[in-house]
Amino acid sequence: MKNKLFTITALCLSAVVLAACSKDSTTKPNADVNHMSNDPIEKLRTFRKQIESVKAHPEAKSAETITVSETLWNIENTFNLTYSETEQYYSRTNDHEFTLSLPVNEDHDVLVYDAVNLYSNVIDQARAAIASDAFEDKGFISLTVKEATEDGGLMHITFSGKTGERSNYNLPIAHVAGPFGLDDNWLFAAPMGKCDDPDIPSGADEQLQEQLYIELIEPFIETNANSRNIYIDRKRFVFDGTNYSGVYYNTDLDNLCIDHVSMNDYYYSEKQIILRIIPGQYHLYNHSPISIEIHGASSGDGAVTHRNEIEYGIRMEVSKDEFGDIENLLIQQ
């Protein structure tokens, strides 16, 4: 299992690279999910019943099968339904990857028994990943299927997991021109601080991240009584100032201060990219942003920029009576 913190390999899943990263032998996990036209909640309900059946009778290996696409969709979305805490704000995150194998038959179908066992192995690997984090207040943000390749009757599936440290933030006073006021002149990246006060352990990247979370995610996490939100069909995109105009990009490394007027400019530009440009480019119908991370980084050409990692999902409501609350992955049931 590899523990990676914002490595460039994450770009292979993102559309920001604007090119496919997988080889010809790679099966795009979500490419043919749309053929499953039945209700997503019903699909989740069915897989949960299959899990319960296999757990109750582990010795009974039935001949019932499902497709590879259904298997990967079920595992990814059932895990996120059960363990992911997307609506929490995270101050720091870690990326984890692990690869597991799944037997497939000549028709590319999977025994339900094997699908359930793979899900159990995914939980074990994800639990080990979050346990290895040095965070004090840990949460599992999201699990996605990165890629799947077939070799001799085995499907090798790479999962990408994102964990984080839960954090509170102080909502600043909003101003008419934007969320940043006269005192919001920040150096480009945390923990460099303010332009006139380097002792404040924050930066322009962190401040933009908080404000975009407040604007684009926090207002939409309310649910009805005895229900909770889940997020299915997740997609992750990574971009910076080399991909889109309006994102911080600076070749003058002797001047890393971003004044409050420019902070508001970057805020509105990134808001437009997240809400309009990326969904329009990649046809994210019914998707909404569920995770926003912004970090100062080198652009690779002598400049510095803000690296954005945005995750989208389709928001749905489920009953707590039927699906329960989010479970703590560190507590084995």
Side-chain angles (χ1 to χ4, degrees), residues 169-199:
Y169 57 86
N170 295 319
L171 180 62
I173 298 173
H175 298 269
V176 174
F180 299 104
L182 293 175
D183 195 37
D184 287 315
N185 304 311
W186 293 92
L187 293 168
F188 99 102
M192 298 174 70
K194 288 189 173 182
C195 300
D196 59 355
D197 189 352
D199 293 329

Side-chain angles (χ1 to χ4, degrees), residues 98-102 118 121-123 125 155-159:
F98 53 89
T99 301
L100 297 169
S101 297
L102 175 69
L118 176 61
N121 291 336
V122 166
I123 292 174
Q125 292 288 332
M155 189 69 70
H156 303 291
I157 305 150
T158 300
F159 294 89

